[in-house]
Amino acid sequence: MGLDQGIDVEQSVGIVKTEYAHFETELKLESGRLLSPFTLAYETYGRLNNERSNVILVAHAWTGDAHAAGWHTPDDRKPGWWDNMIGPGCLLDTERYFVICSNVIGSCKGSTGPASINPRSGQPYNLTFPVVMVRDMVRAQARLLDRLGINQLLTVIGGSMGAMQALEWGIIYPDRVRSIIPIAGTGKTSPMAIALNALARTAVFNDPLWKKGNYRPEHPPADGFALARAVGHISFLSDASMQLKFERRFSARDGLFDFFGKFEVERYLEYNGRSFVDRFDTNSFLYLAKALDLYDVAWDFDSSDEALTRIECPSLWFAFTSDWLYPPNQTEEVVADLKRLNKPVTYHLIESDYGHDSFLVEPEKFTPKVAAFLDRL
């Protein structure tokens, strides 16, 4: 339903527009390669105060985008992906804060990525696009803030890959952040998470339409990509959330003893995968998965302690009991290190049955703690 279909928009930012910042200067990546030119898609909500001290950067997860809140047109079926968090009277109150969300480099949602045209060849980059890391995403965001004349952030908040970005902001730009709020994050991607991404990659690689990344956009490797998305989507859920949503119900359209008959959970994964193919680029999915796999807070430092020592600001961390992609113990390892280093850190373990996606499904379970944290700042 859109704005013209009876939606209560009192706490909505209303109609918003995606902006695009174009940069001609080279961005040196962690791989040593240079990216130039490049573009970042971004949206802003609320107003910048005179002191430019009320800025909050929202960092999105793996396949997210810059459209975090509001509606692009009155006919939109859904608002931005964190619309219940951003707006007048919401947690990120746009009558109080100036909120920015940018699409990361490597994505396909307006920022430069493998689906973008390489100006040197006139063709899509595809697999000639350089491998990017989370730290590269953050450095690109810093360029955007420079362009907007913003020197300091009140906080950086994000879940999953967004939590990694928040942590990197604290490490790479300690003088530019007053706090960070990593949600459902980790200090380094585990072998299990890498293994799941490896299965997703293999599903794409084995699709003959992938053509080593040189597929035609109108003919993507749909079968392999849908399966890859299903693998990823399973990791975002939990056994409890699947029980709540599907139980062991068999699809009403199939016969119980039809060999190709499916349970409702199978139908759901099939639908989710197929619909995702229509709205995301396959190579971008693979590049961002690689960035997740490569993530390690100790990258380019002698140790994680050396990296974490650079954090000067308070940090507020959340983990969820049913998250098995980035389980609580991984968050707690980073929190314990920060405490040992005498850094101002607060941690909350949130009870939730919705797995890794809990930060999107049940934000009301942690938002009061975020609000109190921001008030103290």
Side-chain angles (χ1 to χ4, degrees):
M1 293 190 296
L3 287 172
D4 60 346
Q5 295 174 284
I7 295 295
D8 181 2
V9 295
E10 288 185 2
Q11 290 187 304
S12 171
V13 295
I15 299 297
V16 298
K17 180 182 178 182
T18 304
E19 306 285 348
Y20 301 89
H22 305 284
F23 301 89
E24 296 295 330
T25 53
E26 296 173 334
L27 178 67
K28 186 174 182 180
L29 304 174
E30 289 297 313
S31 65
R33 292 184 62 182
L34 302 175
L35 182 62
S36 175
F38 70 95
T39 297
L40 285 186
Y42 70 98
E43 292 186 7
T44 65
Y45 321 101
R47 291 186 178 182
L48 187 63
N49 64 15
N50 292 334
E51 296 79 18
R52 296 178 176 263
S53 62
N54 66 332
V55 184
I56 291 177
L57 179 66
V58 171
H60 69 73
W62 185 357
T63 57
D65 55 32
H67 185 42
W71 312 74
H72 284 152
T73 74
D75 298 323
D76 284 355
R77 190 170 63 89
K78 292 181 179 180
W81 56 270
W82 233 11
D83 186 72
N84 56 349
M85 297 277 280
I86 303 168
C90 295
L91 173 67
L92 306 184
D93 188 347
T94 49
E95 295 180 344
R96 183 179 182 186
Y97 305 118
F98 182 63
V99 182
I100 302 173
C101 183
S102 72
N103 185 221
V104 299
I105 55 169
S107 183
C108 58
K109 294 294 186 176
S111 295
T112 299
S116 303
I117 299 299
N118 182 342
R120 293 163 183 80
S121 68
Q123 300 295 320
Y125 279 102
N126 294 334
L127 298 196
T128 66
F129 193 75
V131 170
V132 296
M133 298 181 71
V134 173
R135 194 164 294 170
D136 298 320
M137 300 171 187
V138 168
R139 287 203 170 102
Q141 290 165 353
R143 291 277 189 94
L144 173 62
L145 294 184
D146 292 342
R147 175 72 58 86
L148 297 176
I150 295 169
N151 295 320
Q152 193 173 69
L153 296 166
L154 180 64
T155 198
V156 184
I157 181 172
S160 193
M161 190 178 81
M164 298 175 182
Q165 294 169 67
L167 180 55
E168 287 297 304
W169 266 100
I171 293 169
I172 303 303
Y173 298 107
D175 58 333
R176 298 190 70 168
V177 288
R178 291 178 57 193
S179 67
I180 57 172
I181 308 175
I183 306 170
T186 181
K188 56 185 175 184
T189 305
S190 70
M192 188 197 74
I194 295 170
L196 290 169
N197 284 344
L199 290 177
R201 274 189 288 273
T202 302
V204 173
F205 295 166
N206 286 345
D207 190 316
L209 289 181
W210 185 60
K211 299 178 180 179
K212 295 185 177 179
N214 295 312
Y215 52 87
R216 294 166 60 185
E218 63 270 25
H219 295 296
D223 290 343
F225 191 21
L227 178 56
R229 173 61 175 180
V231 171
H233 196 67
I234 291 169
S235 72
F236 305 153
L237 305 177
S238 70
D239 179 61
S241 66
M242 286 190 177
Q243 289 282 0
L244 288 169
K245 190 175 183 69
F246 307 108
E247 296 181 329
R248 284 180 46 84
R249 292 192 304 275
F250 207 74
S251 174
R253 73 181 74 175
D254 299 331
L256 184 62
F257 295 104
D258 177 356
F259 182 77
F260 293 101
K262 297 179 179 179
F263 286 88
E264 286 291 352
V265 66
E266 295 177 272
R267 289 283 183 199
Y268 170 78
L269 291 173
E270 184 179 76
Y271 169 78
N272 184 273
R274 290 291 174 183
S275 62
F276 188 71
V277 169
D278 296 332
R279 58 187 176 87
F280 210 85
D281 173 62
T282 309
N283 284 340
S284 296
F285 178 88
L286 296 172
Y287 268 81
L288 296 180
K290 177 62 71 174
L292 289 169
D293 289 350
L294 291 173
Y295 187 68
D296 184 347
V297 71
W299 166 257
D300 207 29
F301 291 98
D302 289 338
S303 65
S304 59
D305 274 9
E306 184 184 6
L308 295 174
T309 296
R310 291 178 54 85
I311 298 177
E312 300 295 338
C313 65
S315 59
L316 174 65
W317 293 74
F318 295 96
F320 300 93
T321 53
S322 58
D323 186 349
W324 61 279
L325 181 61
Y326 299 149
N329 68 287
Q330 293 182 16
T331 298
E332 290 161 3
E333 287 177 8
V334 183
V335 170
D337 287 343
L338 288 169
K339 287 182 176 179
R340 180 170 49 79
L341 294 168
N342 295 316
K343 301 296 180 178
V345 56
T346 305
Y347 167 68
H348 298 283
L349 178 60
I350 306 297
E351 290 281 343
S352 176
D353 289 333
Y354 289 96
H356 188 62
D357 268 353
S358 295
F359 75 95
L360 295 171
V361 179
E362 293 188 314
E364 67 278 2
K365 289 193 171 182
F366 63 87
T367 50
K369 296 177 174 60
V370 176
F373 178 77
L374 293 176
D375 284 342
R376 288 194 297 273
L377 293 175

